[in-house]
């Protein structure tokens, strides 16, 4: 049995569109399949039931493998806040919590993204082993979201995505 530690990733992005457009991109399956954990060309499944207690699922096909991400909506306050869980069952039963908060600006909006990341580790790990794992998970998670948010920005501001993730 392994132990678990947590680290929190916080990212802030500015979008040149309304809070409603960004909010919608997180919940509308047609939008989600173009940027959220997947791309249109590799997406197999995007389904969700965007209400408190409702679930979402995305299956992305990469390099001959299917990657499945699932979660449950915990809070939806349109167009300001979405809280949901994020889990990839093939890798871990651990569930992260993601909080997306949107704030209207004079022009566009600001998105504050927060993910509480659960990092598994062995009982015999030292503090520095745990610290190293937390930093690695934090940085690789941040890298992944950074790519997704670049795609999201392009999708929202130009209507298409040109990058290949």
């Amino acid at each position: 049995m392994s132990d678990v530690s947590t680290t929190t990733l916080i990212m802030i992005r500015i979008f040149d569109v309304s809070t409603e457009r960004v909010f919608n991109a997180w919940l509308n399956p047609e939008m989600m399949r173009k940027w959220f954990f997947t791309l249109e060309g590799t997406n197999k499944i995007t389904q969700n039931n965007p209400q408190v207690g409702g679930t979402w699922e995305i299956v992305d096909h990469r390099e001959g493998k299917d990657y499945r991400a699932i979660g449950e909506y915990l809070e939806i306050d349109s167009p300001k806040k979405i809280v949901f869980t994020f889990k990839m069952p093939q890798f871990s039963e651990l569930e992260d919590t993601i909080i997306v908060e949107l704030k209207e600006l004079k022009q566009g909006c600001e998105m504050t993204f927060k993910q509480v990341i659960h990092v598994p580790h062995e009982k015999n790990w030292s503090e520095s082993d745990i610290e190293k794992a937390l930093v690695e998970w934090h940085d690789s998670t941040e890298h992944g979201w950074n790519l997704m948010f670049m795609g999201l920005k392009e999708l929202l501001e130009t209507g298409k995505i040109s990058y290949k993730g």
Side-chain angles (χ1 to χ4, degrees):
M1 181 66 199
S2 62
D3 287 351
V4 177
S5 296
T6 58
T7 181
T8 301
L9 168 65
I10 296 174
M11 299 171 79
I12 294 174
R13 292 290 181 274
I14 305 291
F15 296 99
D16 207 3
V17 296
S18 68
T19 53
E20 287 80 5
R21 289 262 333 250
V22 180
F23 189 85
N24 190 38
W26 280 95
L27 297 179
N28 175 323
E30 281 308 301
M31 294 286 280
M32 289 168 74
R33 62 194 281 265
K34 294 178 181 176
W35 77 274
F36 182 60
F37 185 71
T38 187
L39 292 173
E40 219 161 5
T42 56
N43 180 259
K44 278 189 153 178
I45 296 170
T46 300
Q47 54 193 27
N48 71 341
N49 178 10
Q51 61 181 357
V52 173
T55 59
W56 64 270
E57 174 184 18
I58 289 179
V59 176
D60 190 52
H61 189 77
R62 290 178 232 159
E63 292 144 21
K65 274 202 198 108
D66 284 349
Y67 293 92
R68 180 168 173 253
I70 58 172
E72 180 184 334
Y73 294 105
L74 304 177
E75 185 182 334
I76 297 178
D77 178 11
S78 176
K80 295 197 274 298
K81 188 177 184 184
I82 306 168
V83 182
F84 60 95
T85 61
F86 182 98
K87 172 162 92 166
M88 292 185 70
Q90 75 202 75
F91 299 114
S92 169
E93 277 306 304
L94 296 175
E95 212 169 50
D96 290 354
T97 301
I98 292 176
I99 301 162
V100 178
E101 292 183 288
L102 300 166
K103 191 170 69 184
E104 209 164 318
L105 303 174
K106 278 200 177 77
Q107 186 175 348
C109 70
E110 178 184 274
M111 175 181 81
T112 302
F113 170 90
K114 187 188 290 186
Q115 181 172 356
V116 179
I117 306 166
H118 296 279
V119 181
H121 55 82
E122 300 306 315
K123 280 203 183 315
N124 59 355
W125 281 18
S126 68
E127 281 300 314
S128 70
D129 290 335
I130 294 170
E131 199 52 48
K132 185 171 176 263
L134 289 174
V135 168
E136 282 170 8
W137 280 66
H138 178 280
D139 292 354
S140 68
T141 303
E142 183 173 40
H143 176 74
W145 283 112
N146 199 34
L147 290 174
M148 284 189 262
F149 293 159
M150 284 175 3
L152 175 60
K153 186 172 178 67
E154 204 172 319
L155 179 65
L156 289 170
E157 294 176 5
T158 70
K160 61 187 185 303
I161 295 182
S162 59
Y163 82 97
K164 297 283 173 270

